[in-house]
């Protein structure tokens, strides 16, 4: 039911890991939005101060009034400069957090397309790779070859030698198939479909 549907769309990635990644992305996006709102407020206030003080410059002013005006402008400028420094620091932090999040999402994406036992593409990964290979072959007018391999009597290996040896046989065959596929074509791949 639901577990099979989730597995079909997200592969082997754990639901809790997926939820954690989504929550981290939402938290990062909300923090960035708050930082931008704070900076927008500071910039708007600065713009209003500049406009107000510019109008105050229009009539002739005494030296004392001009000195006060310059002080108000300096305070407004200092406020915006401080807001800019905070924003720059927040952007650096957010950029690092986003890079880490992207790395985690990439890792989760690879996990969703990879068979954990053999490291080969899983069913989902194979189907996606086949779609890309078909599109590449059609656009370039190139031939496309596929092969499906079945290990005859594999159950006997597991029954006689145990699952650890059977797993190692699967890994060795998978490694060999990937190597052979890439010798034939730079885009060659192998996967574990079942």
């Amino acid at each position: 039911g639901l577990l099979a549907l989730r597995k079909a769309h997200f592969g082997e990635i754990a639901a809790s890991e997926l939820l954690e990644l989504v929550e981290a992305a939402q938290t990062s996006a909300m923090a960035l939005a708050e930082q931008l709102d704070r900076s927008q407020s500071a910039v708007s206030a600065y713009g209003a101060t500049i406009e107000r003080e510019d109008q105050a410059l229009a009539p002739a002013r005494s030296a004392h009034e001009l000195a006060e005006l310059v002080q108000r402008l300096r305070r407004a400028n200092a406020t915006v400069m401080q807001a800019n420094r905070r924003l720059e620091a927040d952007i650096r932090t957010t950029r690092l957090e986003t890079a880490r999040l992207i790395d985690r999402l990439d890792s989760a994406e690879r996990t969703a397309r990879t068979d954990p036992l053999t490291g080969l593409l899983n069913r989902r990964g194979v189907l996606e790779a086949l779609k890309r290979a078909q599109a590449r072959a059609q656009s370039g007018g190139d031939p496309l070859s596929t092969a499906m391999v079945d290990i005859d009597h594999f159950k006997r290996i597991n029954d006689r030698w145990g699952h650890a040896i059977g797993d190692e046989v699967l890994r060795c065959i998978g490694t060999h198939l990937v190597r052979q596929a890439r010798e034939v074509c730079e885009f060659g791949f192998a996967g574990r479909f079942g």
Side-chain angles (χ1 to χ4, degrees):
L2 187 58
L3 182 60
L5 182 62
R6 186 192 65 73
K7 188 175 180 181
H9 289 282
F10 297 110
E12 300 296 326
I13 184 172
S16 61
E17 184 180 354
L18 184 62
L19 181 60
E20 182 183 322
L21 288 170
V22 169
E23 288 173 352
Q26 289 171 333
T27 300
S28 182
M30 290 186 324
L32 181 58
E34 289 172 9
Q35 293 162 0
L36 292 173
D37 285 344
R38 284 193 305 271
S39 296
Q40 175 65 36
S41 296
V43 168
S44 294
Y46 181 68
T49 299
I50 293 294
E51 187 176 333
R52 185 178 58 250
E53 301 304 341
D54 181 58
Q55 290 174 2
L57 280 173
R61 298 283 181 183
S62 69
H64 178 71
E65 289 173 323
L66 287 175
E68 287 178 356
L69 179 62
V70 168
Q71 287 304 312
R72 286 192 304 267
L73 287 172
R74 290 188 75 211
R75 282 192 298 274
N77 196 41
T79 300
V80 168
M81 287 171 44
Q82 183 179 15
N84 279 345
R85 284 191 295 273
R86 278 194 312 269
L87 179 60
E88 287 171 355
D90 289 345
I91 288 172
R92 281 191 299 274
T93 300
T94 302
R95 188 176 290 137
L96 290 172
E97 289 172 0
T98 302
R100 283 193 292 269
L101 183 58
I102 288 170
D103 287 345
R104 290 178 63 201
L105 287 170
D106 288 346
S107 175
E109 188 69 25
R110 280 189 303 278
T111 299
R113 288 179 172 75
T114 305
D115 174 59
L117 175 64
T118 61
L120 298 173
L121 295 174
N122 62 14
R123 177 185 298 259
R124 178 180 178 206
V126 167
L127 293 175
E128 290 174 1
L130 280 172
K131 283 181 188 176
R132 287 190 304 273
Q134 183 181 16
R136 194 170 29 253
Q138 284 177 336
S139 71
D142 298 324
L144 175 65
S145 299
T146 61
M148 186 171 269
V149 177
D150 182 51
I151 305 170
D152 289 338
H153 310 291
F154 184 72
K155 185 177 180 331
R156 289 184 192 167
I157 294 171
N158 279 336
D159 290 346
R160 182 170 179 173
W161 303 101
H163 289 277
I165 298 297
D167 292 350
E168 190 58 34
V169 167
L170 289 175
R171 282 190 284 273
C172 287
I173 290 173
T175 299
H176 177 73
L177 290 173
V178 168
R179 191 176 304 127
Q180 294 303 310
R182 292 204 178 127
E183 280 184 19
V184 173
C185 173
E186 69 177 296
F187 302 110
F189 62 91
R192 185 173 180 202
F193 205 73

